[in-house]
Amino acid sequence: MSRVADADCFFGGREELLSPDDSMNACFTAFDKDRDNRLSVVEFGGLCRALFRNDAGKPYLLEARKLAEMFSVFDKNEDGYIDREEFKMCWSKWIKTVVRPVSAFVIVDVQNDFISGSLAVCNCSAQHKGEEVVPVINEALDTIKFDVVAYSMDWHPNNHLSFVTNVAKYPMHPSSKVKAADAKLYDKVVYDGDPVKEQILWPPHCIQDSWGAELHPDLKIVDNALWIKKGYDPEIDSYSAFFDNAKISDTGLSRQLRQRGVTDVFVCGIATDVCVGATAIHSLEEGFRTIIMDDACRGVSAEDIETLKQDIMRNSGVIVATSQVKSMVQGRDRRPELGYKLALMLRDARPC
């Protein structure tokens, strides 16, 4: 690309963009409108307008505050400009990831007990039909080339403390408003221990090696997938595919995704406001750009689902329909929220 290249079109050709260093220099030059060998905030804004577009080429709106924050990440000497040396990090750590993400598709707990068994979401207040996620997920697996696919499964022993039938087996903390003798299904209790554990009481579900713990028989299983079994410690629950509820132990998922260079985690499954939501929150905390595939999820409570979505978006996660995912995986639909999230991670990781 020459010095007179049209900056607005610079990020259209992904393969051309991410070749050798001359592409980095061409990118810098394309947005250095006044040719002073540095990018001002205004010129960086032009870069961002070209970078953050949907797959039809329409720019996304970007808040001025977030633009300024992202600019400050790369203006390391704080002189109000990004020079060519500073732009090297902007190019290698930020632009390359935005344009060419590495994706993981994390399919959470699409198990029989959550669909038609003892804890079927159709019997919960939102009255969702869990089986409806299966064809949506299968279509995504058939049509989208994810770099990594992972399946998580609840995998409880019979004596798990989350089962209402076991409530008398575990000592209550004095702060628990519900006592063991009075505890009912879906009550919230507080168990004693280190740490103290707040626990919703569920019916027995997803017991190891049972029919209820099996994935739905129609769910597509791909080769070379990662398998995450969680909740096998009887003394603590594990909603997330990353950690138990107290973040004492991890499942190894984060490490395996990092080993594969994953930048973007797409999450779906059952239930939106419980295990899917906990997985997405931990994904954000672990530094992955995180996307919930809304139509590939079903949940328990409509109110809690909405609360979860607001939490995810407040933390620079994104909620999308599955039909939008392919272009995001291919780097053609580039969301400013995810770019902002990545910039903040680079800021926080940068040595003082």
Side-chain angles (χ1 to χ4, degrees), residues 38 47 65 73 82 122 137 211 222 234 240 289 293 301 303 325 327 336 338:
R38 56 188 186 175
L47 184 153
R65 174 186 62 83
V73 172
I82 298 172
C122 62
I137 294 170
W211 169 86
V222 300
S240 166
R289 305 192 322 159
M293 297 162 59
S301 159
E303 182 179 353
V325 169
S327 58
L338 301 180

Side-chain angles (χ1 to χ4, degrees), residues 190-208:
V190 181
Y191 287 120
D192 204 0
D194 185 18
V196 173
K197 294 176 279 287
E198 191 176 81
Q199 178 66 52
I200 296 174
L201 298 175
W202 306 107
H205 63 279
C206 298
I207 294 171
Q208 296 170 6

Side-chain angles (χ1 to χ4, degrees), residues 50 97 136 149 156 183 198 208 218 227 245 260 288:
T97 298
V136 183
V149 175
H156 295 312
E198 191 176 81
Q208 296 170 6
D218 294 335
W227 290 89
N245 287 6
R260 291 159 175 81
F288 297 106

Side-chain angles (χ1 to χ4, degrees), residues 2 19 23 27 32 45 48 83 107 109 112 114 158 225 228 231 243 247 259 267 269 289 293 313 329 352:
S2 70
S19 50
S23 289
C27 180
D32 179 17
C48 289
D83 60 33
I107 301 165
D109 300 3
N112 288 328
F114 297 131
N158 279 297
I228 303 297
F243 298 98
K247 292 189 78 172
Q259 287 174 345
V267 188
R289 305 192 322 159
M293 297 162 59
M313 291 187 288
V329 167
C352 299

Side-chain angles (χ1 to χ4, degrees), residues 118-302:
S118 61
L119 193 44
V121 292
C122 62
N123 297 324
C124 298
S125 62
Q127 296 187 319
H128 284 179
K129 297 178 180 179
E131 66 272 16
E132 292 177 345
V133 306
V134 175
V136 183
I137 294 170
N138 289 348
E139 176 73 9
L141 289 169
D142 286 337
T143 59
I144 303 170
K145 187 175 176 56
F146 295 101
D147 296 291
V148 179
V149 175
Y151 299 88
S152 81
M153 302 171 68
D154 259 8
W155 198 248
H156 295 312
N158 279 297
N159 62 336
H160 199 263
L161 88 173
S162 70
F163 297 168
V164 67
T165 50
N166 293 327
V167 69
K169 298 178 181 179
Y170 295 91
M172 289 288 175
H173 190 267
S175 66
S176 183
K177 295 179 180 179
V178 178
K179 305 308 176 186
D182 304 318
K184 305 183 298 298
L185 198 60
Y186 307 125
D187 278 346
K188 184 180 289 185
V189 300
V190 181
Y191 287 120
D192 204 0
D194 185 18
V196 173
K197 294 176 279 287
E198 191 176 81
Q199 178 66 52
I200 296 174
L201 298 175
W202 306 107
H205 63 279
C206 298
I207 294 171
Q208 296 170 6
D209 298 311
S210 69
W211 169 86
E214 294 174 5
L215 295 177
H216 189 279
D218 294 335
L219 183 67
K220 182 181 178 68
I221 306 300
V222 300
D223 295 334
N224 302 314
L226 303 179
W227 290 89
I228 303 297
K229 290 184 176 179
K230 57 190 180 68
Y232 46 79
D233 182 340
E235 296 190 358
I236 192 163
D237 215 348
S238 297
Y239 294 161
S240 166
F242 286 93
F243 298 98
D244 65 49
N245 287 6
K247 292 189 78 172
I248 295 173
S249 61
D250 71 84
T251 65
L253 178 59
S254 185
R255 172 180 49 80
Q256 293 184 78
L257 296 183
R258 292 187 195 284
Q259 287 174 345
R260 291 159 175 81
V262 168
T263 60
D264 292 17
V265 173
F266 293 81
V267 188
C268 71
I270 305 172
T272 315
D273 45 332
V274 188
C275 295
V276 172
T279 298
I281 288 168
H282 282 162
S283 176
L284 287 165
E285 291 175 355
E286 285 295 284
F288 297 106
R289 305 192 322 159
T290 303
I291 304 96
I292 290 181
M293 297 162 59
D294 193 27
D295 56 333
C297 300
R298 295 296 184 273
V300 172
S301 159

